Amino acid sequence: MNTQLLQQARALDIDEQIELVAAIWDGIVSRGAVPALTEAQTTELDRRRADHLANPDELVPWNEVKAAALDQIRP
């Protein structure tokens, strides 16, 4: 890693750091790169798939999930 570049990034204020991270991430995505899942993520996805296959009628529609999440963060 380029430590000089990292030091320059750390010298930015928080808003600039967030903007930099977003720009870097957008660049990664635009090149079609897909980060590998961690072992924990793979395990969790496997668990959720197995749960869904065992209980296919226990679905919650996306609009309900979204509404519940937004209700939790709204003042």
Side-chain angles (χ1 to χ4, degrees):
M1 174 183 289
N2 183 330
T3 57
Q4 182 181 9
L5 185 58
L6 181 57
Q7 288 173 347
Q8 290 173 338
R10 287 181 175 158
L12 299 172
D13 67 38
I14 296 298
D15 289 338
E16 291 172 319
Q17 287 182 11
I18 292 169
E19 189 177 334
L20 176 61
V21 169
I24 291 170
W25 189 253
D26 288 346
I28 292 168
V29 170
S30 71
R31 287 186 266 168
V34 178
L37 296 176
T38 66
E39 186 176 332
Q41 290 168 325
T42 301
T43 300
E44 179 62 14
L45 287 172
D46 290 344
R47 183 196 65 77
R48 290 180 186 202
R49 183 173 186 275
D51 183 52
H52 169 65
L53 292 174
N55 306 291
D57 296 329
E58 293 182 11
L59 296 175
V60 180
W62 170 242
N63 61 331
E64 291 179 25
V65 173
K66 183 178 176 182
L70 290 173
D71 285 346
Q72 290 184 9
I73 62 171
R74 288 187 179 134

